[in-house]
Amino acid sequence: ADPTSIPFVTWTLDDGLPMPVIGDLINPILSLGRHVITVTAELASGEIDTDTVTVTVVDTQPPDVFAAFVDEKTGQEITQASSRDKVSTVVNATDDCDLEPTITAVVGVSANNGSVFTFDKSRKALSLKSTSDEEDAILSVIATDSSGNVATENVELRIIQ
């Protein structure tokens, strides 16, 4: 090939510093939003050719959500517990575009007509008097990323009296 025809090719992202193109591809890392990529080829003869493309990056993927009931003694995830067991919840969400998605978590119990709830402020406890030998607690988690994508996770815990 004629050495005068081999171009020197650079690319810029959003009017930044020119970067050399190595091979046939450029691999910019783009954040969410609108970006302008300009590729410039300069021949040894001085002829310059430029091409520009506008790219808009949008986040359409919801966060990944994890929710679990955990036995306080063992640290293990559980799906069943006795009314005497100490149980905690673990909730988290991850997202490729949002490092801190908003998480809302609610624990609820099934209640029948006539169920009696007792709040003990000194122990920061809620108890339920039930006529059934088994109840279910439900942990519902909603995660929303900064783009408005929403994911939910529901976990059930069978409580044996």
Side-chain angles (χ1 to χ4, degrees):
D2 180 2
T4 61
S5 68
I6 298 174
F8 177 68
V9 182
T10 60
W11 65 277
T12 60
L13 174 61
D14 298 327
D15 293 324
L17 294 174
M19 303 290 294
V21 173
I22 300 171
D24 295 336
L25 300 174
I26 63 170
N27 293 310
I29 297 173
L30 304 176
S31 60
L32 293 175
R34 185 175 177 268
H35 300 280
V36 177
I37 300 171
T38 302
V39 177
T40 303
E42 183 175 352
L43 298 176
S45 66
E47 184 181 344
I48 296 176
D49 192 17
T50 300
D51 197 9
T52 300
V53 64
T54 300
V55 177
T56 302
V57 178
V58 295
D59 176 14
T60 60
Q61 296 299 309
D64 290 318
V65 181
F66 176 79
F69 286 102
V70 175
D71 183 307
E72 291 256 325
K73 287 182 183 176
T74 66
Q76 298 295 311
E77 188 174 333
I78 57 173
T79 58
Q80 181 174 304
S82 81
S83 59
R84 295 172 304 282
D85 291 336
K86 290 191 180 211
V87 178
S88 62
T89 58
V90 174
V91 298
N92 65 49
T94 58
D95 189 78
D96 290 338
C97 298
D98 183 355
L99 296 178
E100 295 182 17
T102 302
I103 300 172
T104 303
V106 177
V107 174
V109 294
S110 54
N112 301 317
N113 186 26
S115 295
V116 178
F117 292 89
T118 306
F119 298 93
D120 184 342
K121 241 181 156 175
S122 64
R123 289 183 23 217
K124 297 182 182 178
L126 166 67
S127 62
L128 167 66
K129 287 188 179 178
S130 175
T131 56
S132 174
D133 288 340
E134 293 183 355
E135 294 289 338
D136 291 331
I138 300 169
L139 171 59
S140 294
V141 179
I142 301 170
T144 307
D145 67 20
S146 58
S147 295
N149 300 305
V150 177
T152 61
E153 180 76 16
N154 295 306
V155 180
E156 197 172 293
L157 177 69
R158 174 67 37 137
I159 302 168
I160 312 260
Q161 300 299 337

